[in-house]
Amino acid sequence: MSLHASSLYGRSPHIVIAGGGVAGLTTALSLHAAGFERVTVVEAAAAIRPVGAGLNLMPNAVRELDALGLLDALEAGALRTRELRYYHRSGGLISREPRGLGAGYRWPQLSVHRAHLQQVLAGAVRARLGAAALVTGVRVTGVEPLPDGRPRLRLEHRSGAVRGRASLEPDVLVGADGIRSAVRAALHPGEGGPPWNGMLVWRGVSRMPARAVGSFMLIAGDDRQKAVVYPMGRPTGPGREVLVNWALARPAEPGRGEGSGFGSGAAVGCGSGEERLRGDWDRSVPVETFLRHYEGWEFDGVSVPDVLRAADSAHEYPMVDREPLDRWTHGRTTLVGDAAHAMYPTGSNGATQAIVDARALAHALARHDDPAEGLAAYESERRPAMTALQRANRRLGPEVVINLAHERAPHGFTDIHDVLPAEELAAVAGRYAATGAFDPETVNQGSPYEVPLPAIG
């Protein structure tokens, strides 16, 4: 048992986690590692299926997954990210940065398919907490506080065409149910939907010959549109092919909402275009819908159009985030991951910070007799830092160097240092790493979230 995992009423408290994604599953594993025995994850989907595209895990998140004993399983289906390159859309190289071990970290940065990460996490939850700890087909539809601070949950469960409803009164509730969190909506009923900044994002996965992709992660564009491309696995098969993740962003076409540009953070008025996009949150579209905007984009041998043409499918999303909250925790209910601090997809921090949230939450609960005090301690550490990171992402985070290069040399350049001095480039990257607490010095100190187990005997 952990320091205080069994102190509540002389037993381990029952903790319910709403959401079986990266945030929820990592929270369950972190709580188990801290000595909590009664943890239940409820997931609205009928099953944990391999869905989604790729993501990058920064070394601070990889450190925490390593502490949970998951690094070997994760690396079996991932690729160590060794270099990040920024390009102007004209093809000019803005900067190249070593990543992970090459940048002096004790842990790598990993490019991985979200499905592989989720399968590793879900498998570990079932193995360590038992199959009954992960319940699918159950959605949290409402939360109300009881006089003692515990939450009363309203649940809806589905089995084929049959639906049922139930209520549950756990000792602690963790909302890990994403950017459209029902738990967050219950805690902040007047908030409304996520604000849209007028940008569209297209994402997908392609299978390409390794020689056509390179070994680096690239982010390219100008002040209007961008492309992110990177391999996320080792070459396989006789053709030496790799999985390639790609993500694109540019303003919506006229008639689909007025675009406000990258990083504005402004919500677009609720016209018909926005309403339709909100209804089609994860919309499958033909690659030809947006391919024309990226013709001719090639960077050190990596052809963005070729990558797009090799995709099996593409999905379109409005680029949205959440306004920072002044409060995550209400009694014995709190939020983690996107439910707490959804941010623009800049700087590889969505899944990364969700993982850190999970570890911080378990650590705080284990060190406090009163669960409400533990949740308050978790929030006091994490919320200010995540608010700063949300705001930094609205200012484009480290990708601002692309905009700066375009503003100063819209038609390209011969030497980037004539446009952006090396010191300025380094300062942008350094500020962002410090904001997210993933600079090498901080990360290499080791996990601050290990819970010492009491001696037995």
Side-chain angles (χ1 to χ4, degrees):
M1 299 298 293
S2 68
L3 294 181
H4 301 291
S6 62
S7 61
L8 183 67
Y9 309 136
R11 57 178 173 79
S12 183
H14 183 205
I15 303 173
V16 169
I17 301 166
V22 172
L25 296 171
T26 309
T27 300
L29 292 168
S30 300
L31 289 166
H32 176 265
F36 294 93
E37 298 172 346
R38 301 172 63 222
V39 179
T40 305
V41 180
V42 295
E43 164 57 39
I48 303 294
R49 294 192 177 94
V51 296
L55 52 84
N56 250 258
L57 295 176
M58 302 296 284
N60 53 330
V62 176
R63 177 193 67 188
E64 300 306 326
L65 294 173
D66 188 22
L68 291 172
L70 301 174
L71 183 55
D72 288 345
L74 184 58
E75 282 211 84
L79 183 69
R80 292 186 176 186
T81 311
R82 291 180 167 85
E83 186 178 52
L84 169 62
R85 300 183 187 181
Y86 290 103
Y87 293 90
H88 185 265
R89 67 171 296 166
S90 64
L93 179 65
I94 297 171
S95 70
R96 53 194 302 173
E97 303 171 5
R99 310 297 281 185
L101 302 179
Y105 290 93
R106 291 171 53 196
W107 289 269
Q109 178 174 327
L110 296 179
S111 298
V112 61
H113 199 296
R114 181 180 295 273
H116 175 67
L117 172 59
Q118 194 164 358
Q119 286 177 326
V120 168
L121 295 172
V125 167
R126 292 185 175 112
R128 299 176 188 183
L129 283 79
L134 179 52
V135 182
T136 57
V138 175
R139 180 190 306 274
V140 174
T141 59
V143 183
E144 58 182 283
L146 297 172
D148 63 359
R150 289 181 303 129
R152 174 181 289 141
L153 315 186
R154 294 194 301 276
L155 304 172
E156 179 182 281
H157 56 89
R158 304 178 186 179
S159 179
V162 178
R163 295 192 182 189
R165 291 179 173 81
S167 64
L168 185 66
E169 297 176 4
D171 297 304
V172 176
L173 171 64
V174 180
D177 45 346
I179 192 170
R180 294 176 291 168
S181 166
V183 178
R184 177 173 174 138
L187 300 180
H188 301 272
E191 183 179 28
W196 180 41
N197 71 352
M199 305 296 295
L200 291 180
V201 177
W202 297 280
R203 300 194 69 179
V205 175
S206 302
R207 187 173 288 277
M208 301 278 291
R211 66 181 183 279
V213 184
S215 59
F216 52 88
M217 176 181 182
L218 74 83
I219 304 178
D222 56 23
D223 62 347
R224 181 173 173 82
Q225 65 185 69
K226 292 185 173 71
V228 180
V229 179
Y230 56 85
M232 54 180 178
R234 299 177 183 88
T236 59
R240 301 285 293 169
E241 292 184 326
V242 297
L243 283 179
V244 182
N245 184 71
W246 53 266
L248 314 171
R250 60 175 279 116
E253 298 287 346
R256 305 191 69 189
E258 294 297 321
S260 58
F262 276 97
S264 69
V268 174
C270 295
S272 60
E274 185 182 3
E275 293 294 337
R276 183 162 67 83
L277 283 169
R278 289 183 185 278
D280 294 331
W281 189 270
D282 178 0
R283 180 170 177 257
S284 180
V285 297
V287 169
E288 290 71 24
T289 303
F290 49 84
L291 177 61
R292 68 188 186 279
H293 300 301
Y294 295 88
E295 291 290 0
W297 283 41
E298 183 171 331
F299 309 96
D300 283 335
V302 179
S303 167
V304 174
D306 286 353
V307 171
L308 301 182
R309 292 187 185 99
D312 291 332
S313 62
H315 291 261
E316 179 182 84
Y317 313 80
M319 187 185 288
V320 295
D321 66 356
R322 279 291 191 181
E323 292 294 335
L325 292 174
D326 59 7
R327 185 178 181 186
W328 290 356
T329 302
H330 296 247
R332 296 187 193 168
T333 299
T334 197
L335 305 170
V336 296
D338 280 353
H341 50 71
M343 58 189 77
Y344 291 157
T346 297
S348 303
N349 265 295
T352 288
Q353 296 299 339
I355 289 165
V356 178
D357 283 352
R359 293 278 289 163
L361 173 59
H363 180 262
L365 280 175
R367 296 182 68 85
H368 290 82
D369 289 307
D370 182 347
E373 291 181 2
L375 297 185
Y378 152 74
E379 178 179 332
S380 69
E381 177 197 346
R382 293 294 294 162
R383 186 173 59 80
M386 292 303 95
T387 295
L389 200 59
Q390 285 179 287
R391 290 173 175 158
N393 278 17
R394 285 183 170 182
R395 297 189 299 269
L396 305 184
E399 295 176 20
V400 72
V401 297
I402 293 175
N403 288 53
L404 292 173
H406 185 75
E407 289 169 7
R408 299 175 190 179
H411 303 296
F413 46 83
T414 302
D415 185 343
I416 184 58
H417 296 131
D418 294 335
V419 179
L420 277 169
E423 296 79 7
E424 187 174 4
L425 289 168
V428 169
R431 281 195 302 270
Y432 188 70
T435 300
F438 49 83
D439 56 286
E441 182 179 357
T442 301
V443 173
N444 289 347
Q445 293 175 11
S447 175
Y449 304 121
E450 293 293 341
V451 176
L453 299 183
I456 297 177

